[in-house]
Amino acid sequence: MKLLMRLYQWFWQALLPIIAGLARLKPQLKAQIEGRSHSLANFSLWNRDSYRSAVIFFASSAGEYEQAKPLAQRLQREGRFILFVFGSASGVRFAEAQGETLPYIKAPWDQPREWLRIFRAVKPDFTIIIRYELWPGFLAIAKQFGKIYLVNAVKSQGLNRKALSRWIWCRMLRSISEIFVVGDSDRAFYTDRLGQAGHKVHSMGDTKYDRVFERIAERASQSSSLKSELDPFLRDAQILIIGSAWLPDLNVVLSVWKELRLLCPPLKLLVVPHDIGQANAGKMEAALQGAGLRTARASRSGMGAATAADDALLVDRLGLLPELYGLAHIAWVGGGMHFRVHNVLEPACRGIYICFGPRYQSSQEAVWLVEKALAQVIQNGGEFLSAFEKLTWNHKPPHQALWQAVEKQRGTSERILRAIARSEIL
């Protein structure tokens, strides 16, 4: 193995000048290349020695960072030093945007020598990898410092189809001490398809649910302020929100809007574009007005300008969608009509009715909702109208079966950390 790692190190030393040359030819690669060299002088700013122990989290990007947060926060409260390592530039940007106070870096190129410098500086007790970020050099060094845990692992159609990729993945999984998968079908994939020992693979759930519930609690004051600001628009209304909306999503709803209002006269529409640019938001405003809806637009008049007389509010502002889901009774999650569905977890954890278009298979959470008959897949306006007719509004939150199902997903972070604690004792 030492010889293989030396060869791997030499491979990277030969490759890096080529990467640098490509960056000069293709400026769009610059963001991914910058910041992958780390000075030990910077590590001294982390104050690592004031902590009794440490954990390194390896995550790809923003989504995996969100999955890591519940675990990282709990471990920090135990008095452990935490370092986030991001495989992509977008992960670093997202952490910056969130105001993350825990140390984080962009992963160096997968050179064993560079990883060794980082691990010697941090001295982790163990390492947690989120979802699928398996790099050979990283794994070779991480296992020298303690156990490695793969968290929120899920089945991969790409691995299922590609024999060579599957073989490489299986080889890298040898370095993993315990694999915590999301569900039973994921466990079967790792044991049956990837050949991992049954005692090593555990169905635990997904930490993303914990993170969404925690974020809801953290932003309770913002939610309350937003609700007060929109009170004239919301009062006595049933709210249909199209979140992360694209024009194809909006057009399906507008094609049956008159029929929807006959079924439910208090119905109003919240439209939150995925792309808030002037061109896209302008098209959505034109579509709403063309369908006869009196429409307020947040970027023009402010959120509070929406009145009881308005039929729709176009929220072309960033950062409000999670809280707006909390004001709705039914959510159409955008993207699924033409590309792929966006985040269904935020509305799911609010217990409201959920629907989306037929292109949802890339979202593990959307697949789960459909398999459990907790969300409706919509092909056209007629299907949406038919589904809407069957809804009831007698409960709070309205979709009780969904609410109970997501409530059961809570506590994954605690289950994983208890399992790690047991493993660390052995």
Side-chain angles (χ1 to χ4, degrees):
M1 180 58 72
K2 288 183 178 179
L3 176 59
L4 283 175
M5 283 299 105
R6 281 200 207 99
L7 292 171
Y8 192 59
Q9 177 70 42
W10 293 339
F11 161 78
W12 275 104
Q13 288 177 210
L15 184 62
L16 289 179
I18 299 173
I19 293 174
L22 287 173
R24 287 191 291 270
L25 294 172
K26 296 185 176 182
Q28 63 267 32
L29 295 176
K30 186 177 179 181
Q32 290 299 334
I33 291 171
E34 285 183 335
R36 294 197 185 272
S37 296
H38 301 285
S39 167
L40 287 176
N42 295 332
F43 294 175
S44 65
L45 301 175
W46 297 344
N47 200 25
R48 162 65 182 92
D49 292 338
S50 64
Y51 296 84
R52 63 179 178 83
S53 62
V55 179
I56 289 178
F57 282 85
F58 196 18
S60 175
S61 190
E64 291 74 30
Y65 161 76
E66 287 287 283
Q67 296 169 46
K69 280 287 286 185
L71 299 168
Q73 289 174 334
R74 287 159 174 78
L75 289 168
Q76 186 198 27
R77 288 196 290 268
E78 292 177 5
R80 298 179 188 267
F81 175 85
I82 304 298
L83 174 66
F84 290 112
V85 180
F86 293 110
S88 71
S90 61
V92 173
R93 289 195 298 267
F94 187 78
E96 289 172 349
Q98 295 296 304
E100 180 56 66
T101 57
L102 295 174
Y104 56 88
I105 60 172
K106 187 190 292 184
W109 301 114
D110 195 36
Q111 303 176 78
R113 187 181 300 161
E114 291 300 305
W115 286 122
L116 186 59
R117 294 171 70 239
I118 293 171
F119 273 79
R120 281 176 174 169
V122 177
K123 301 184 288 291
D125 295 81
F126 55 87
T127 299
I128 294 177
I129 298 173
I130 305 297
R131 194 73 95 186
Y132 46 62
E133 208 67 11
L134 302 187
W135 294 16
F138 175 86
L139 292 170
I141 300 304
K143 69 180 182 182
Q144 296 178 22
F145 286 80
K147 293 181 178 180
I148 306 172
Y149 302 96
L150 181 61
V151 168
N152 287 356
V154 293
K155 57 188 173 185
S156 165
Q157 293 304 319
L159 289 177
N160 207 27
R161 292 190 300 266
K162 300 174 183 177
L164 179 59
S165 298
R166 194 165 59 248
W167 180 84
I168 294 171
W169 197 261
C170 291
R171 297 276 296 183
M172 290 193 292
L173 285 172
R174 293 178 183 177
S175 299
I176 305 297
S177 303
E178 305 277 347
I179 301 170
F180 302 119
V181 300
V182 170
D184 291 339
S185 63
D186 304 306
R187 185 176 188 277
F189 177 77
Y190 270 82
T191 55
D192 301 343
R193 196 70 173 130
L194 299 182
Q196 299 303 297
H199 64 82
K200 182 178 172 178
V201 186
H202 316 278
S203 295
M204 288 289 187
D206 197 325
T207 60
K208 281 193 289 189
Y209 290 88
D210 289 336
R211 180 59 188 148
V212 173
F213 281 117
E214 288 169 5
R215 195 163 53 237
I216 289 171
E218 291 167 1
R219 296 178 64 88
S221 60
Q222 292 95 322
S223 295
S224 179
S225 296
L226 186 60
K227 184 176 182 180
S228 297
E229 190 175 10
L230 289 175
D231 181 68
F233 178 76
L234 299 172
R235 193 181 307 150
D236 300 323
Q238 298 289 113
I239 301 297
L240 163 59
I241 183 171
I242 310 179
S244 293
W246 294 95
L247 203 55
D249 305 299
L250 178 59
N251 286 338
V252 172
V253 174
L254 293 181
S255 71
V256 290
W257 180 253
K258 291 180 181 178
E259 292 86 349
L260 291 169
R261 287 295 290 268
L262 288 173
L263 285 172
C264 182
L267 189 66
K268 291 189 176 185
L269 194 57
L270 272 173
V271 181
V272 188
H274 187 78
D275 172 11
I276 65 168
Q278 172 62 33
N280 187 59
K283 289 177 183 177
M284 290 192 173
E285 182 180 30
L288 289 163
Q289 293 174 342
L293 281 74
R294 175 169 166 166
T295 303
R297 185 167 169 181
S299 65
R300 181 182 300 128
S301 307
M303 298 290 287
T307 69
D310 290 312
D311 303 304
L313 173 60
L314 178 64
V315 185
D316 50 342
R317 288 174 51 187
L318 286 173
L320 297 176
L321 180 55
E323 285 68 50
L324 290 170
Y325 277 132
L327 304 178
H329 302 86
I330 175 172
W332 178 298
V333 181
M337 292 304 297
H338 73 296
F339 178 48
R340 63 184 181 197
V341 73
H342 296 298
N343 185 359
V344 301
L345 210 53
E346 293 284 356
C349 289
R350 301 285 186 170
I352 62 180
Y353 293 109
I354 298 176
C355 62
F356 38 77
R359 299 187 179 185
Y360 66 89
Q361 292 79 6
S362 62
S363 167
Q364 293 285 333
E365 296 76 38
V367 169
W368 177 72
L369 290 172
V370 173
E371 288 177 348
K372 300 294 184 182
L374 297 173
Q376 187 73 40
V377 180
I378 301 296
Q379 305 277 347
N380 52 55
E383 286 189 4
F384 182 61
L385 181 63
S386 177
F388 190 90
E389 285 180 305
K390 299 171 185 174
L391 303 181
T392 61
W393 313 100
N394 302 325
H395 301 285
K396 189 175 181 179
H399 196 339
Q400 284 292 295
L402 173 58
W403 176 248
Q404 292 163 8
V406 296
E407 276 281 301
K408 290 179 181 177
Q409 298 297 318
R410 281 187 170 188
T412 296
S413 301
E414 282 77 14
R415 290 192 292 273
I416 289 173
L417 291 178
R418 284 196 297 269
I420 290 176
R422 289 193 297 269
S423 179
E424 290 297 301
I425 292 171
L426 296 176

